[in-house]
Short mmCIF file of all heavy atoms in Angstrom, two decimals:
data_model
loop_
_atom_site.label_atom_id
_atom_site.label_comp_id
_atom_site.label_asym_id
_atom_site.label_seq_id
_atom_site.Cartn_x
_atom_site.Cartn_y
_atom_site.Cartn_z
N PRO T 243 3.16 -4.67 -26.19
CA PRO T 243 2.89 -3.29 -25.75
C PRO T 243 1.44 -3.12 -25.31
O PRO T 243 0.56 -3.90 -25.67
CB PRO T 243 3.17 -2.47 -26.99
CG PRO T 243 2.85 -3.38 -28.13
CD PRO T 243 3.28 -4.74 -27.63
N ASP T 244 1.19 -2.10 -24.54
CA ASP T 244 -0.18 -1.68 -24.25
C ASP T 244 -0.60 -0.77 -25.39
O ASP T 244 0.13 0.15 -25.77
CB ASP T 244 -0.24 -0.89 -22.93
CG ASP T 244 0.11 -1.75 -21.73
OD1 ASP T 244 -0.25 -2.94 -21.73
OD2 ASP T 244 0.73 -1.22 -20.80
N LEU T 245 -1.77 -1.03 -25.96
CA LEU T 245 -2.30 -0.19 -27.04
C LEU T 245 -3.22 0.85 -26.44
O LEU T 245 -4.05 0.54 -25.59
CB LEU T 245 -3.04 -1.03 -28.07
CG LEU T 245 -2.19 -2.06 -28.81
CD1 LEU T 245 -3.06 -2.89 -29.74
CD2 LEU T 245 -1.08 -1.39 -29.57
N VAL T 246 -3.06 2.10 -26.88
CA VAL T 246 -3.80 3.21 -26.30
C VAL T 246 -4.36 4.09 -27.41
O VAL T 246 -3.60 4.58 -28.25
CB VAL T 246 -2.86 4.07 -25.41
CG1 VAL T 246 -3.61 5.22 -24.79
CG2 VAL T 246 -2.18 3.22 -24.36
N PRO T 247 -5.68 4.30 -27.45
CA PRO T 247 -6.21 5.27 -28.41
C PRO T 247 -5.90 6.67 -27.89
O PRO T 247 -6.22 7.02 -26.76
CB PRO T 247 -7.71 4.98 -28.42
CG PRO T 247 -7.98 4.33 -27.10
CD PRO T 247 -6.72 3.65 -26.69
N GLU T 248 -5.27 7.48 -28.70
CA GLU T 248 -4.89 8.84 -28.31
C GLU T 248 -6.04 9.80 -28.61
O GLU T 248 -6.80 9.58 -29.56
CB GLU T 248 -3.63 9.28 -29.08
CG GLU T 248 -2.43 8.39 -28.89
CD GLU T 248 -1.78 8.52 -27.53
OE1 GLU T 248 -2.12 9.48 -26.79
OE2 GLU T 248 -0.93 7.69 -27.19
N PRO T 249 -6.20 10.87 -27.83
CA PRO T 249 -7.26 11.85 -28.07
C PRO T 249 -7.18 12.51 -29.44
O PRO T 249 -8.17 12.99 -29.96
CB PRO T 249 -7.08 12.90 -26.97
CG PRO T 249 -6.10 12.34 -26.01
CD PRO T 249 -5.40 11.19 -26.66
N THR T 250 -5.99 12.51 -30.03
CA THR T 250 -5.79 13.13 -31.35
C THR T 250 -6.19 12.20 -32.49
O THR T 250 -6.08 12.56 -33.64
CB THR T 250 -4.31 13.51 -31.52
OG1 THR T 250 -3.53 12.33 -31.35
CG2 THR T 250 -3.90 14.56 -30.52
N GLY T 251 -6.61 10.96 -32.16
CA GLY T 251 -6.98 9.99 -33.18
C GLY T 251 -5.85 9.04 -33.53
O GLY T 251 -6.03 8.12 -34.33
N GLU T 252 -4.68 9.25 -32.97
CA GLU T 252 -3.55 8.37 -33.22
C GLU T 252 -3.70 7.07 -32.42
O GLU T 252 -4.45 7.02 -31.45
CB GLU T 252 -2.24 9.06 -32.83
CG GLU T 252 -1.97 10.31 -33.63
CD GLU T 252 -0.73 11.05 -33.17
OE1 GLU T 252 -0.24 10.81 -32.06
OE2 GLU T 252 -0.25 11.91 -33.94
N ILE T 253 -2.97 6.06 -32.84
CA ILE T 253 -2.88 4.81 -32.09
C ILE T 253 -1.56 4.83 -31.36
O ILE T 253 -0.50 4.99 -31.97
CB ILE T 253 -2.93 3.58 -33.03
CG1 ILE T 253 -4.21 3.59 -33.86
CG2 ILE T 253 -2.76 2.29 -32.24
CD1 ILE T 253 -5.47 3.43 -33.06
N GLY T 254 -1.60 4.66 -30.04
CA GLY T 254 -0.39 4.68 -29.24
C GLY T 254 -0.01 3.29 -28.76
O GLY T 254 -0.87 2.43 -28.57
N MET T 255 1.29 3.07 -28.60
CA MET T 255 1.83 1.81 -28.07
C MET T 255 2.81 2.16 -26.96
O MET T 255 3.69 2.99 -27.17
CB MET T 255 2.53 1.03 -29.17
CG MET T 255 1.59 0.59 -30.28
SD MET T 255 2.49 0.10 -31.78
CE MET T 255 2.75 1.71 -32.51
N ASN T 256 2.63 1.55 -25.79
CA ASN T 256 3.49 1.84 -24.65
C ASN T 256 4.15 0.57 -24.15
O ASN T 256 3.48 -0.44 -23.95
CB ASN T 256 2.67 2.46 -23.51
CG ASN T 256 2.04 3.77 -23.89
OD1 ASN T 256 2.64 4.59 -24.56
ND2 ASN T 256 0.81 3.97 -23.46
N TRP T 257 5.46 0.64 -23.96
CA TRP T 257 6.24 -0.44 -23.38
C TRP T 257 6.88 0.06 -22.10
O TRP T 257 7.30 1.21 -22.03
CB TRP T 257 7.38 -0.88 -24.31
CG TRP T 257 7.00 -1.60 -25.54
CD1 TRP T 257 6.98 -2.95 -25.73
CD2 TRP T 257 6.64 -1.04 -26.80
NE1 TRP T 257 6.63 -3.25 -27.01
CE2 TRP T 257 6.41 -2.08 -27.70
CE3 TRP T 257 6.48 0.28 -27.25
CZ2 TRP T 257 6.04 -1.88 -29.02
CZ3 TRP T 257 6.11 0.49 -28.57
CH2 TRP T 257 5.89 -0.58 -29.43
N ARG T 258 6.97 -0.79 -21.10
CA ARG T 258 7.68 -0.44 -19.87
C ARG T 258 8.39 -1.69 -19.37
O ARG T 258 7.83 -2.78 -19.35
CB ARG T 258 6.72 0.06 -18.80
CG ARG T 258 7.41 0.47 -17.51
CD ARG T 258 6.48 1.18 -16.57
NE ARG T 258 6.08 2.49 -17.02
CZ ARG T 258 6.83 3.59 -16.92
NH1 ARG T 258 8.02 3.54 -16.38
NH2 ARG T 258 6.37 4.76 -17.34
N LYS T 259 9.65 -1.50 -19.00
CA LYS T 259 10.47 -2.58 -18.47
C LYS T 259 11.32 -1.99 -17.36
O LYS T 259 12.34 -1.34 -17.63
CB LYS T 259 11.34 -3.17 -19.58
CG LYS T 259 12.03 -4.45 -19.24
CD LYS T 259 12.73 -4.98 -20.49
CE LYS T 259 13.32 -6.34 -20.26
NZ LYS T 259 14.01 -6.83 -21.45
N GLY T 260 10.88 -2.15 -16.11
CA GLY T 260 11.57 -1.50 -15.00
C GLY T 260 11.44 0.00 -15.11
O GLY T 260 10.35 0.54 -15.25
N LYS T 261 12.58 0.70 -15.09
CA LYS T 261 12.58 2.15 -15.20
C LYS T 261 12.70 2.64 -16.64
O LYS T 261 12.78 3.83 -16.89
CB LYS T 261 13.71 2.73 -14.36
CG LYS T 261 13.52 2.51 -12.88
CD LYS T 261 14.62 3.15 -12.09
CE LYS T 261 14.39 2.95 -10.61
NZ LYS T 261 15.42 3.59 -9.80
N VAL T 262 12.74 1.72 -17.58
CA VAL T 262 12.87 2.06 -19.00
C VAL T 262 11.48 2.06 -19.63
O VAL T 262 10.67 1.18 -19.35
CB VAL T 262 13.80 1.04 -19.71
CG1 VAL T 262 13.95 1.37 -21.16
CG2 VAL T 262 15.15 0.98 -19.02
N ALA T 263 11.21 3.05 -20.47
CA ALA T 263 9.90 3.16 -21.09
C ALA T 263 10.03 3.62 -22.54
O ALA T 263 10.98 4.31 -22.90
CB ALA T 263 9.03 4.15 -20.32
N LEU T 264 9.05 3.22 -23.35
CA LEU T 264 8.98 3.64 -24.74
C LEU T 264 7.53 3.88 -25.09
O LEU T 264 6.67 3.04 -24.79
CB LEU T 264 9.57 2.57 -25.67
CG LEU T 264 9.38 2.78 -27.17
CD1 LEU T 264 10.07 4.04 -27.65
CD2 LEU T 264 9.88 1.56 -27.95
N THR T 265 7.26 4.99 -25.71
CA THR T 265 5.93 5.32 -26.21
C THR T 265 6.06 5.67 -27.69
O THR T 265 6.93 6.44 -28.06
CB THR T 265 5.33 6.53 -25.45
OG1 THR T 265 5.21 6.18 -24.08
CG2 THR T 265 3.98 6.90 -25.99
N MET T 266 5.22 5.05 -28.50
CA MET T 266 5.17 5.37 -29.93
C MET T 266 3.72 5.57 -30.33
O MET T 266 2.83 4.91 -29.79
CB MET T 266 5.73 4.21 -30.77
CG MET T 266 7.22 4.17 -30.84
SD MET T 266 7.85 3.16 -32.21
CE MET T 266 7.21 1.56 -31.82
N SER T 267 3.50 6.45 -31.28
CA SER T 267 2.17 6.60 -31.86
C SER T 267 2.31 6.87 -33.35
O SER T 267 3.33 7.37 -33.81
CB SER T 267 1.40 7.74 -31.16
OG SER T 267 2.07 8.96 -31.33
N ILE T 268 1.28 6.48 -34.08
CA ILE T 268 1.29 6.70 -35.53
C ILE T 268 0.01 7.44 -35.90
O ILE T 268 -1.06 7.12 -35.40
CB ILE T 268 1.44 5.38 -36.31
CG1 ILE T 268 1.57 5.66 -37.80
CG2 ILE T 268 0.33 4.41 -36.00
CD1 ILE T 268 2.09 4.50 -38.61
N ASN T 269 0.17 8.46 -36.75
CA ASN T 269 -1.01 9.23 -37.15
C ASN T 269 -1.47 8.82 -38.54
O ASN T 269 -0.86 7.99 -39.21
CB ASN T 269 -0.74 10.74 -37.03
CG ASN T 269 0.27 11.26 -38.03
OD1 ASN T 269 0.52 10.67 -39.08
ND2 ASN T 269 0.87 12.40 -37.71
N SER T 270 -2.55 9.44 -38.98
CA SER T 270 -3.15 9.07 -40.27
C SER T 270 -2.29 9.49 -41.46
O SER T 270 -2.50 9.01 -42.57
CB SER T 270 -4.54 9.70 -40.39
OG SER T 270 -4.44 11.11 -40.33
N ASN T 271 -1.29 10.34 -41.24
CA ASN T 271 -0.37 10.73 -42.30
C ASN T 271 0.85 9.84 -42.38
O ASN T 271 1.77 10.10 -43.16
CB ASN T 271 0.07 12.19 -42.11
CG ASN T 271 -1.07 13.15 -42.27
OD1 ASN T 271 -1.94 12.97 -43.11
ND2 ASN T 271 -1.10 14.17 -41.44
N GLY T 272 0.91 8.81 -41.52
CA GLY T 272 2.02 7.88 -41.55
C GLY T 272 3.26 8.37 -40.81
O GLY T 272 4.37 7.93 -41.10
N ILE T 273 3.09 9.27 -39.86
CA ILE T 273 4.22 9.75 -39.07
C ILE T 273 4.21 9.03 -37.72
O ILE T 273 3.20 9.01 -37.02
CB ILE T 273 4.14 11.27 -38.84
CG1 ILE T 273 4.12 12.02 -40.17
CG2 ILE T 273 5.29 11.74 -37.95
CD1 ILE T 273 5.37 11.84 -41.02
N ILE T 274 5.35 8.44 -37.37
CA ILE T 274 5.51 7.78 -36.08
C ILE T 274 6.23 8.76 -35.16
O ILE T 274 7.32 9.22 -35.47
CB ILE T 274 6.35 6.50 -36.20
CG1 ILE T 274 5.68 5.51 -37.14
CG2 ILE T 274 6.57 5.87 -34.82
CD1 ILE T 274 6.52 4.27 -37.43
N SER T 275 5.61 9.07 -34.03
CA SER T 275 6.23 9.89 -33.00
C SER T 275 6.63 8.95 -31.87
O SER T 275 5.92 7.99 -31.57
CB SER T 275 5.26 10.94 -32.48
OG SER T 275 4.88 11.80 -33.53
N PHE T 276 7.76 9.24 -31.23
CA PHE T 276 8.22 8.33 -30.17
C PHE T 276 8.98 9.10 -29.10
O PHE T 276 9.50 10.19 -29.33
CB PHE T 276 9.13 7.25 -30.76
CG PHE T 276 10.38 7.78 -31.39
CD1 PHE T 276 11.56 7.85 -30.66
CD2 PHE T 276 10.39 8.23 -32.70
CE1 PHE T 276 12.72 8.36 -31.23
CE2 PHE T 276 11.54 8.74 -33.28
CZ PHE T 276 12.71 8.80 -32.54
N ALA T 277 9.01 8.51 -27.91
CA ALA T 277 9.79 9.03 -26.79
C ALA T 277 10.19 7.83 -25.94
O ALA T 277 9.41 6.91 -25.74
CB ALA T 277 8.97 10.01 -25.97
N SER T 278 11.43 7.85 -25.45
CA SER T 278 11.93 6.74 -24.65
C SER T 278 12.85 7.23 -23.55
O SER T 278 13.61 8.18 -23.73
CB SER T 278 12.72 5.76 -25.56
OG SER T 278 13.24 4.70 -24.79
N LEU T 279 12.74 6.59 -22.39
CA LEU T 279 13.70 6.76 -21.31
C LEU T 279 14.62 5.55 -21.37
O LEU T 279 14.15 4.42 -21.34
CB LEU T 279 12.99 6.82 -19.95
CG LEU T 279 12.04 7.99 -19.76
CD1 LEU T 279 11.29 7.83 -18.44
CD2 LEU T 279 12.81 9.29 -19.78
N THR T 280 15.92 5.78 -21.47
CA THR T 280 16.87 4.68 -21.66
C THR T 280 17.41 4.17 -20.32
O THR T 280 17.21 4.79 -19.28
CB THR T 280 18.05 5.15 -22.53
OG1 THR T 280 18.77 6.16 -21.83
CG2 THR T 280 17.57 5.69 -23.87
N THR T 281 18.11 3.06 -20.37
CA THR T 281 18.68 2.46 -19.16
C THR T 281 19.69 3.38 -18.50
O THR T 281 19.88 3.32 -17.29
CB THR T 281 19.35 1.11 -19.47
OG1 THR T 281 20.31 1.30 -20.51
CG2 THR T 281 18.33 0.08 -19.91
N SER T 282 20.34 4.25 -19.26
CA SER T 282 21.32 5.17 -18.69
C SER T 282 20.67 6.45 -18.16
O SER T 282 21.37 7.36 -17.72
CB SER T 282 22.38 5.52 -19.73
OG SER T 282 21.78 6.18 -20.83
N GLY T 283 19.34 6.53 -18.22
CA GLY T 283 18.63 7.71 -17.74
C GLY T 283 18.46 8.78 -18.78
O GLY T 283 17.91 9.84 -18.50
N GLY T 284 18.91 8.54 -20.00
CA GLY T 284 18.77 9.51 -21.08
C GLY T 284 17.40 9.46 -21.72
O GLY T 284 16.60 8.57 -21.45
N GLU T 285 17.14 10.42 -22.56
CA GLU T 285 15.89 10.49 -23.29
C GLU T 285 16.17 10.48 -24.79
O GLU T 285 17.13 11.08 -25.24
CB GLU T 285 15.13 11.76 -22.94
CG GLU T 285 14.71 11.86 -21.50
CD GLU T 285 14.01 13.18 -21.20
OE1 GLU T 285 13.84 14.00 -22.12
OE2 GLU T 285 13.67 13.38 -20.03
N VAL T 286 15.33 9.77 -25.52
CA VAL T 286 15.38 9.74 -26.97
C VAL T 286 13.96 10.05 -27.45
O VAL T 286 13.01 9.45 -26.96
CB VAL T 286 15.82 8.34 -27.49
CG1 VAL T 286 15.81 8.29 -28.99
CG2 VAL T 286 17.17 7.96 -26.94
N PHE T 287 13.82 10.99 -28.38
CA PHE T 287 12.49 11.30 -28.87
C PHE T 287 12.58 11.90 -30.26
O PHE T 287 13.64 12.34 -30.69
CB PHE T 287 11.75 12.26 -27.92
CG PHE T 287 12.50 13.53 -27.66
CD1 PHE T 287 12.28 14.64 -28.45
CD2 PHE T 287 13.42 13.62 -26.63
CE1 PHE T 287 12.97 15.82 -28.22
CE2 PHE T 287 14.10 14.79 -26.37
CZ PHE T 287 13.88 15.89 -27.18
N GLY T 288 11.45 11.86 -30.95
CA GLY T 288 11.41 12.44 -32.29
C GLY T 288 10.24 11.90 -33.08
O GLY T 288 9.30 11.33 -32.52
N SER T 289 10.31 12.06 -34.39
CA SER T 289 9.28 11.52 -35.28
C SER T 289 9.94 11.12 -36.60
O SER T 289 10.96 11.69 -36.98
CB SER T 289 8.16 12.53 -35.50
OG SER T 289 8.66 13.70 -36.07
N MET T 290 9.35 10.12 -37.23
CA MET T 290 9.87 9.58 -38.49
C MET T 290 8.70 9.14 -39.37
O MET T 290 7.67 8.73 -38.84
CB MET T 290 10.75 8.35 -38.23
CG MET T 290 11.96 8.61 -37.42
SD MET T 290 12.88 7.07 -37.22
CE MET T 290 14.34 7.71 -36.44
N PRO T 291 8.88 9.18 -40.67
CA PRO T 291 7.81 8.69 -41.55
C PRO T 291 7.75 7.17 -41.55
O PRO T 291 8.78 6.50 -41.48
CB PRO T 291 8.21 9.22 -42.93
CG PRO T 291 9.68 9.44 -42.86
CD PRO T 291 9.99 9.76 -41.43
N PHE T 292 6.54 6.65 -41.58
CA PHE T 292 6.32 5.21 -41.73
C PHE T 292 5.96 4.98 -43.18
O PHE T 292 4.95 5.46 -43.66
CB PHE T 292 5.18 4.75 -40.82
CG PHE T 292 4.85 3.30 -40.97
CD1 PHE T 292 5.64 2.33 -40.39
CD2 PHE T 292 3.74 2.90 -41.69
CE1 PHE T 292 5.33 1.00 -40.52
CE2 PHE T 292 3.42 1.57 -41.83
CZ PHE T 292 4.21 0.61 -41.24
N LYS T 293 6.84 4.27 -43.89
CA LYS T 293 6.57 4.00 -45.31
C LYS T 293 6.15 2.55 -45.43
O LYS T 293 5.05 2.20 -45.06
CB LYS T 293 7.79 4.36 -46.14
CG LYS T 293 8.05 5.86 -46.10
CD LYS T 293 9.18 6.28 -46.96
CE LYS T 293 9.34 7.80 -46.82
NZ LYS T 293 10.48 8.33 -47.47
N ASP T 294 7.00 1.68 -45.92
CA ASP T 294 6.65 0.28 -46.07
C ASP T 294 7.03 -0.56 -44.86
O ASP T 294 6.57 -1.68 -44.72
CB ASP T 294 7.33 -0.30 -47.32
CG ASP T 294 6.80 0.32 -48.59
OD1 ASP T 294 5.61 0.71 -48.60
OD2 ASP T 294 7.56 0.45 -49.55
N GLU T 295 7.91 -0.01 -44.02
CA GLU T 295 8.32 -0.75 -42.83
C GLU T 295 8.72 0.23 -41.72
O GLU T 295 8.96 1.40 -41.98
CB GLU T 295 9.48 -1.70 -43.14
CG GLU T 295 10.69 -1.01 -43.73
CD GLU T 295 11.75 -2.00 -44.20
OE1 GLU T 295 11.40 -3.04 -44.79
OE2 GLU T 295 12.92 -1.72 -43.95
N ILE T 296 8.76 -0.29 -40.50
CA ILE T 296 9.14 0.54 -39.36
C ILE T 296 10.61 0.90 -39.50
O ILE T 296 11.44 0.03 -39.79
CB ILE T 296 8.89 -0.21 -38.05
CG1 ILE T 296 7.39 -0.49 -37.89
CG2 ILE T 296 9.40 0.58 -36.85
CD1 ILE T 296 7.04 -1.36 -36.72
N PRO T 297 10.97 2.16 -39.31
CA PRO T 297 12.37 2.56 -39.41
C PRO T 297 13.27 1.75 -38.47
O PRO T 297 12.88 1.44 -37.34
CB PRO T 297 12.35 4.04 -39.01
CG PRO T 297 10.97 4.50 -39.33
CD PRO T 297 10.10 3.31 -39.05
N ARG T 298 14.45 1.42 -38.93
CA ARG T 298 15.39 0.58 -38.19
C ARG T 298 15.69 1.13 -36.79
O ARG T 298 15.80 0.38 -35.84
CB ARG T 298 16.69 0.44 -38.98
CG ARG T 298 17.68 -0.50 -38.34
CD ARG T 298 18.88 -0.69 -39.18
NE ARG T 298 18.41 -1.02 -40.53
CZ ARG T 298 19.19 -1.40 -41.52
NH1 ARG T 298 20.47 -1.50 -41.33
NH2 ARG T 298 18.70 -1.67 -42.70
N GLU T 299 15.83 2.45 -36.67
CA GLU T 299 16.12 3.06 -35.37
C GLU T 299 15.02 2.75 -34.35
O GLU T 299 15.30 2.50 -33.18
CB GLU T 299 16.27 4.58 -35.50
CG GLU T 299 17.41 5.02 -36.40
CD GLU T 299 17.01 5.13 -37.87
OE1 GLU T 299 15.92 4.68 -38.26
OE2 GLU T 299 17.81 5.68 -38.64
N LEU T 300 13.78 2.75 -34.81
CA LEU T 300 12.67 2.44 -33.90
C LEU T 300 12.63 0.96 -33.57
O LEU T 300 12.32 0.59 -32.44
CB LEU T 300 11.35 2.89 -34.51
CG LEU T 300 11.19 4.40 -34.66
CD1 LEU T 300 9.84 4.74 -35.26
CD2 LEU T 300 11.36 5.10 -33.33
N LEU T 301 12.95 0.11 -34.53
CA LEU T 301 13.00 -1.32 -34.25
C LEU T 301 14.05 -1.63 -33.19
O LEU T 301 13.85 -2.48 -32.33
CB LEU T 301 13.29 -2.12 -35.53
CG LEU T 301 12.11 -2.29 -36.46
CD1 LEU T 301 12.55 -3.03 -37.72
CD2 LEU T 301 10.98 -3.03 -35.79
N THR T 302 15.16 -0.92 -33.24
CA THR T 302 16.21 -1.10 -32.24
C THR T 302 15.68 -0.76 -30.85
O THR T 302 15.92 -1.49 -29.88
CB THR T 302 17.44 -0.23 -32.57
OG1 THR T 302 17.93 -0.63 -33.84
CG2 THR T 302 18.52 -0.39 -31.54
N LEU T 303 14.94 0.33 -30.73
CA LEU T 303 14.34 0.70 -29.44
C LEU T 303 13.35 -0.36 -28.97
O LEU T 303 13.36 -0.76 -27.81
CB LEU T 303 13.62 2.05 -29.54
CG LEU T 303 14.49 3.29 -29.60
CD1 LEU T 303 13.63 4.52 -29.87
CD2 LEU T 303 15.27 3.47 -28.31
N VAL T 304 12.50 -0.84 -29.87
CA VAL T 304 11.47 -1.83 -29.50
C VAL T 304 12.12 -3.15 -29.05
O VAL T 304 11.66 -3.77 -28.08
CB VAL T 304 10.50 -2.07 -30.67
CG1 VAL T 304 9.59 -3.25 -30.39
CG2 VAL T 304 9.68 -0.81 -30.93
N THR T 305 13.19 -3.56 -29.71
CA THR T 305 13.80 -4.85 -29.35
C THR T 305 14.35 -4.86 -27.93
O THR T 305 14.43 -5.92 -27.31
CB THR T 305 14.91 -5.26 -30.33
OG1 THR T 305 15.90 -4.23 -30.38
CG2 THR T 305 14.37 -5.54 -31.71
N THR T 306 14.69 -3.69 -27.37
CA THR T 306 15.16 -3.67 -25.98
C THR T 306 14.06 -4.10 -25.01
O THR T 306 14.36 -4.55 -23.91
CB THR T 306 15.67 -2.28 -25.57
OG1 THR T 306 14.62 -1.34 -25.65
CG2 THR T 306 16.83 -1.83 -26.45
N PHE T 307 12.82 -3.99 -25.41
CA PHE T 307 11.71 -4.39 -24.55
C PHE T 307 11.26 -5.82 -24.81
O PHE T 307 10.43 -6.35 -24.08
CB PHE T 307 10.52 -3.43 -24.75
CG PHE T 307 10.82 -2.06 -24.28
CD1 PHE T 307 11.38 -1.12 -25.12
CD2 PHE T 307 10.60 -1.71 -22.96
CE1 PHE T 307 11.69 0.15 -24.68
CE2 PHE T 307 10.91 -0.45 -22.50
CZ PHE T 307 11.46 0.48 -23.36
N CYS T 308 11.79 -6.46 -25.83
CA CYS T 308 11.40 -7.82 -26.19
C CYS T 308 12.45 -8.85 -25.82
O CYS T 308 12.29 -10.02 -26.08
CB CYS T 308 11.11 -7.88 -27.69
SG CYS T 308 9.76 -6.80 -28.19
N GLU T 309 13.57 -8.40 -25.23
CA GLU T 309 14.65 -9.33 -24.88
C GLU T 309 14.39 -10.00 -23.56
O GLU T 309 13.77 -9.49 -22.69
CB GLU T 309 15.98 -8.60 -24.84
CG GLU T 309 16.35 -8.05 -26.19
CD GLU T 309 17.62 -7.21 -26.16
OE1 GLU T 309 17.98 -6.64 -25.12
OE2 GLU T 309 18.26 -7.13 -27.22
#
């Protein structure tokens, strides 16, 4: 991913593969915010707590960019 320092102090990660994109950021409270454009043209977005590991749903999104 491209790492991006966000103006809010968060660390951002951006992936792009053709017309598909994923952006994730994590804040100091351990909340991961994300947004993705899918291969079908849909959008997926939201936020989840980061505890001891990355939530499975987010790992599924990330693996689409690593295949």
